[in-house]
Amino acid sequence: MTTFLTTIPSPDRGVWQLGPIPLRAYALCIIAGIIVAIYWGERRWVARGGVKGEVTDIAVFAVPFGLVGGRLYHVATDWHKYFGEGKNPWEALAIWNGGLGIWGAIALGGVGAWIACRRRGIPLPAMADALAPGIVAAQAIGRLGNYFNQELYGGPTDLPWGLEIYERIDPATGFKDELTGVAIDHTPILVVHPTFLYELLWNLGVALLIVWADRKFRLGHGRVFALYVAGYTAGRFWIEIMRTDPATMVFGLRVNVITSVVVFLGAVVYFVLAAKKGGREVIVRGDAAEESDGDGDAESAGGASAADPGTAGAGDGKAGATKVPGIEPAAKSDE
């Protein structure tokens, strides 16, 4: 017993039954993350000049698209779990059993957000900047679901923060059931690196980093989102290498390692190139847009405008807001 006194115990289960309804920790964590992302994104969007409620409108499109995209990526990269001899292809639709790829979720979720932004006359890069910290915080919360599912961990370790893994069984049959079973015996069968925890902490660090950088340098034109993507993928690269769960291999590497490198490079290139557009754009929405000088430089209600990028960085060496004629740059701080 003394061997495991300093390790991290796992929950004895990841699913609770409320009568005939299963309450899944994984799903609850995903829902909690979405709520945090919308709430935080809403505050940041309003601080940039947006209208309250618009982030929720965008989420109505982005969240379903993101869930579908996340599942498609997971099934595409772990197809051997669902297709082939002895497999049940219908399990590919069982999203409640876990399995969402963040790459697909962000990609297709971005498509949903783009559609919604087009419908509302909102510039997608500005919305993405507002949402970025909330998205990475939501990813951190979602990783708690992996903790309850006893998944996404690394190799054996004797470090004091090693994670205890228990054998879970179906109490009714006594057969092994890793997903919905219960740990009757709390003697660890493994003590491993909690890579889900490493990623959770890394994601929170990225959230703090991009909020700090956004406040200090007044980033705009999608650069906050690009910094989030670069920061996340940098961490995902080394964390993915530590994982020991089965994964699709490409050129001898886990597919998510390669994806991390490619996406990181793309994010860095965008971050550098977007700097040429100037400082943070000021979003003019609703009544503020109608009160503009009417010379065509700012759109009316339901639109957004950014002009005169040459005002960025004037005077103090910092990137200033891209100013819309007739409208003063927002003085509110971001949450």
Side-chain angles (χ1 to χ4, degrees), residues 140 196-206:
F196 80 89
L197 178 59
Y198 299 163
E199 185 172 331
L200 185 158
L201 295 175
W202 183 273
N203 289 349
L204 294 178
V206 170

Side-chain angles (χ1 to χ4, degrees), residues 1-10 157-164 166 188 191-192 194 197:
M1 289 296 296
T2 56
T3 305
F4 306 111
L5 286 179
T6 57
T7 52
I8 302 173
S10 288
T157 182
D158 57 1
L159 292 170
W161 57 82
L163 177 70
E164 299 179 6
Y166 310 134
V191 177
V192 296
L197 178 59

Side-chain angles (χ1 to χ4, degrees), residues 163-327:
L163 177 70
E164 299 179 6
I165 300 297
Y166 310 134
E167 183 176 57
R168 291 178 176 177
I169 63 172
D170 182 342
T173 64
F175 293 130
K176 185 176 180 179
D177 186 347
E178 295 180 353
L179 187 61
T180 61
V182 179
I184 305 300
D185 184 352
H186 289 79
T187 301
I189 59 175
L190 286 172
V191 177
V192 296
H193 280 284
T195 51
F196 80 89
L197 178 59
Y198 299 163
E199 185 172 331
L200 185 158
L201 295 175
W202 183 273
N203 289 349
L204 294 178
V206 170
L208 293 175
L209 169 66
I210 61 180
V211 168
W212 169 82
D214 192 24
R215 287 178 173 175
K216 183 173 180 63
F217 303 108
R218 297 190 61 80
L219 301 175
H221 305 285
R223 298 183 76 211
V224 182
F225 191 83
L227 186 59
Y228 141 62
V229 173
Y232 171 73
T233 51
R236 183 65 183 267
F237 174 81
W238 65 267
I239 293 170
E240 190 72 26
I241 291 175
M242 295 184 67
R243 285 171 51 176
T244 57
D245 53 307
T248 300
M249 307 297 287
V250 178
F251 304 121
L253 296 171
R254 296 169 68 94
V255 66
N256 285 330
V257 172
I258 296 176
T259 305
S260 294
V261 173
V262 172
V263 176
F264 172 82
L265 293 175
V268 170
V269 169
Y270 181 91
F271 183 84
V272 173
L273 294 180
K276 298 178 181 179
K277 298 181 179 180
R280 182 188 301 171
E281 62 272 59
V282 175
I283 306 304
V284 183
R285 305 288 295 162
D287 294 339
E290 293 177 340
E291 294 169 2
S292 66
D293 58 10
D295 61 2
D297 290 317
E299 294 180 45
S300 61
S305 176
D308 191 15
T311 60
D316 61 359
K318 296 180 181 179
T322 302
K323 188 175 179 180
V324 179
I327 304 294

Side-chain angles (χ1 to χ4, degrees), residues 90-115:
W90 291 107
E91 285 294 319
L93 302 177
I95 193 172
W96 51 86
N97 287 336
L100 292 173
I102 186 60
W103 318 108
I106 294 297
L108 206 55
V111 172
W114 175 77
I115 293 172

